[in-house]
Amino acid sequence: MLSLLFISKKKRKEESLEEKVALIQQGDLELREDVIKAYQPFIAKSVSSVCKRYINETDDEFSIGLIAFNESIEKFSSEKGNSLLSFADVLIKRRVIDYIRQQSKEQTVSMDYGSESLEDGSDRSSIQDELSLEDFRKKTDAELRREEIAQFQQILQEFGLSFQNLVKQSPKHVDARKNAIEVAKILVDNEELRKHLLEKKRLPIKELEKMVHLSRKTIERNRKYIISISLILLGDYVYLKDYIKGVLEK
């Protein structure tokens, strides 16, 4: 009996974080608590990178990060191609940024009622706070965009691609880009094609040819671009998905 218990514990230690998350999503509450506790330093580090200061467990921002990490466990899907930690890192930072923005807005509103007005009727504190908040938005958005691209580059490397491929291999004409994006959408929505891409790291051209109104030659010519777009659609990439949205709206 003791030997079986030892083997069971040994197996759990060998499980990857993603495997543990799968068990948690099946209802293992004890494992959820263990994982959250074990990754509190990771949570604090993610939160600190946004707040630009040391964060401990008593800070409100840490609580926001903790909730976001738990949310990432619930929402994580291995089919998207990301690791749990990269997904959690993005989600934690977004939630903390939203919290800071909300706090800044509330502070601005309260100061509007308690500060003296200038000769032109404007409020010095309110103006300064709005400028600071806008500056914060720009800096954090730029930082998150850089991190998102860095994470995406890591995924692309597994497929023998780089972020430059998305730029250089992008079809020159808008209609051609839209067609390629539509191919990527069809791939992502099809379980078998999606599985083929993620497991074999290559585009299922033969199967796609039967499902789209494009020639094999066209699909092959835009292969790298279609793979890149498919990975964006599968992942949790807010800024990169804006690029896709922009192409489709043109």
Side-chain angles (χ1 to χ4, degrees):
M1 185 71 180
L2 288 174
S3 61
L4 289 174
L5 181 61
F6 176 77
I7 292 173
S8 176
K9 288 184 176 180
K10 186 176 181 181
K11 278 186 176 181
R12 171 151 290 184
K13 287 182 179 179
E14 293 174 351
E15 290 167 350
S16 68
L17 178 57
E18 286 70 26
E19 289 171 336
K20 289 179 180 178
V21 168
L23 293 174
I24 291 171
Q25 291 175 343
Q26 293 171 17
D28 194 329
L29 299 180
E30 183 179 350
L31 183 56
R32 180 193 292 268
E33 292 180 6
D34 291 342
V35 168
I36 291 176
K37 185 176 181 180
Y39 282 89
Q40 284 187 3
F42 166 81
I43 297 170
K45 183 179 179 181
S46 294
V47 175
S48 296
S49 68
V50 176
C51 298
K52 307 300 180 185
R53 62 181 174 84
Y54 175 76
I55 294 291
N56 58 47
E57 296 179 9
T58 62
D59 290 310
D60 291 340
E61 292 86 351
F62 178 81
S63 298
I64 299 298
L66 205 64
I67 293 170
F69 185 77
N70 184 58
E71 182 184 351
S72 71
I73 290 176
E74 295 175 351
K75 293 184 175 180
F76 177 74
S77 172
S78 58
E79 290 187 358
K80 291 185 176 182
N82 289 343
S83 69
L84 184 279
L85 291 184
S86 64
F87 175 59
D89 186 52
V90 171
L91 193 59
I92 289 170
K93 288 174 179 175
R94 285 184 195 153
R95 295 294 180 263
V96 173
I97 287 171
D98 289 343
Y99 170 77
I100 294 174
R101 286 175 176 172
Q102 184 60 38
Q103 291 298 305
S104 298
K105 287 179 182 178
E106 291 176 359
Q107 184 179 8
T108 300
V109 171
S110 71
M111 292 185 76
D112 283 343
Y113 288 98
S115 11
E116 297 181 359
S117 297
L118 300 177
E119 291 181 0
D120 62 359
S122 61
D123 184 273
R124 185 188 303 275
S125 297
S126 176
I127 293 172
Q128 289 176 339
D129 284 350
E130 286 297 332
L131 289 174
S132 297
L133 180 58
E134 182 60 27
D135 184 53
F136 170 77
R137 285 173 179 162
K138 290 179 180 178
K139 288 181 179 178
T140 50
D141 282 344
E143 183 178 340
L144 283 176
R145 188 179 292 106
R146 286 194 297 269
E147 290 186 7
E148 185 173 284
I149 291 174
Q151 291 174 1
F152 183 54
Q153 284 178 324
Q154 292 178 356
I155 298 296
L156 286 176
Q157 286 176 4
E158 298 177 12
F159 290 77
L161 303 175
S162 67
F163 189 74
Q164 285 68 31
N165 290 134
L166 181 59
V167 178
K168 293 180 180 180
Q169 301 293 329
S170 175
K172 294 181 180 180
H173 300 291
V174 174
D175 287 343
R177 288 198 295 272
K178 287 183 177 180
N179 287 336
I181 291 174
E182 289 301 326
V183 173
K185 284 184 173 181
I186 290 172
L187 186 153
V188 169
D189 291 338
N190 186 289
E191 185 177 353
E192 291 186 7
L193 298 185
R194 184 173 66 240
K195 186 177 180 181
H196 182 285
L197 175 66
L198 295 176
E199 291 183 355
K200 298 186 178 181
K201 310 297 182 188
R202 63 174 184 266
L203 200 65
I205 295 177
K206 184 177 179 181
E207 291 79 358
L208 281 170
E209 188 181 6
K210 301 174 183 177
M211 302 177 68
V212 300
H213 300 293
L214 295 175
S215 67
R216 183 184 185 91
K217 185 178 180 180
T218 300
I219 298 173
E220 288 178 341
R221 183 171 61 247
N222 297 319
R223 177 181 63 84
K224 293 181 179 180
Y225 184 75
I226 294 172
I227 290 176
S228 299
I229 295 298
S230 297
L231 294 174
I232 291 174
L233 293 173
L234 284 168
D236 190 52
Y237 302 113
V238 173
Y239 298 100
L240 292 174
K241 284 180 180 178
D242 279 343
Y243 159 77
I244 297 175
K245 183 179 178 181
V247 172
L248 293 175
E249 289 178 348
K250 288 181 180 179

